[in-house]
Amino acid sequence: MATSDPAPLDSLPEFSSGELKRNCGRWGKPIYLAIKGVIYDVSQAPELYGPDGPYHIFAGRECARSLAALDLSEKMLTDKTDDLDDKCQSTLSDWIAKFNTRYPVVGKVSKRRLITAGTWFQIGALGLVATICFLGKRAT
């Protein structure tokens, strides 16, 4: 059961989207889902979010838009909600309130983006700017 006074988000661990996705209830992992970047541990409800549950699509994923629009399609699994109408925003607020009372908050989705091969980016320091194409297999 969630606490009434969750830890401040700044003090919670960050999860990359890949790390979040691995926490889907398979391979002995817990079941996490994210709403607007806040990660909830919903492992206590495997009948809902586990591999055979009706909401398994949320496991290991960001699902704010899906909850707001009450749409379980793959394309709705995102935190992008700024273009939704007031009714959807209200629905999302209701869902967040429910999750805050039912499930513990265990982390937040990292805002850092991984650099992938073929990505162009600029580095600026001391007034100099360099444009670089990352060609490696792994960025740190």
Side-chain angles (χ1 to χ4, degrees):
M1 181 74 45
T3 62
S4 57
D5 235 354
L9 282 180
D10 291 343
S11 68
L12 293 172
E14 287 189 354
F15 290 75
S16 70
S17 58
E19 290 169 322
L20 174 61
K21 198 164 196 159
R22 284 190 291 275
N23 288 287
C24 63
R26 295 185 189 273
W27 314 290
K29 296 281 192 176
I31 307 170
Y32 292 171
L33 62 79
I35 305 173
K36 296 299 284 180
V38 176
I39 302 173
Y40 297 88
D41 183 345
V42 297
S43 300
Q44 68 191 39
E47 70 282 1
L48 296 175
Y49 304 103
D52 297 322
Y55 304 111
H56 70 277
I57 194 167
F58 294 156
R61 308 290 290 275
E62 168 63 61
C63 58
R65 188 176 186 89
S66 182
L67 288 170
L70 303 175
D71 182 337
L72 297 178
S73 64
E74 182 84 20
K75 68 180 179 191
M76 298 298 275
L77 294 174
T78 178
D79 67 347
K80 184 177 177 343
T81 59
D82 54 335
D83 62 329
L84 296 175
D85 63 25
D86 290 343
K87 182 178 179 189
C88 287
Q89 297 291 349
S90 177
T91 299
L92 179 58
S93 293
D94 291 345
W95 277 113
I96 291 170
K98 286 178 188 174
F99 274 81
N100 282 336
T101 60
R102 292 183 183 166
Y103 305 109
V105 172
V106 295
K108 59 188 174 185
V109 178
S110 174
K111 297 292 184 194
R112 291 176 286 163
R113 291 182 53 207
L114 292 177
I115 300 170
T116 57
T119 300
W120 289 90
F121 61 97
Q122 289 189 331
I123 297 175
L126 303 173
L128 302 172
V129 175
T131 301
I132 299 169
C133 180
F134 178 73
L135 299 174
K137 292 183 179 178
R138 182 176 175 204
T140 56

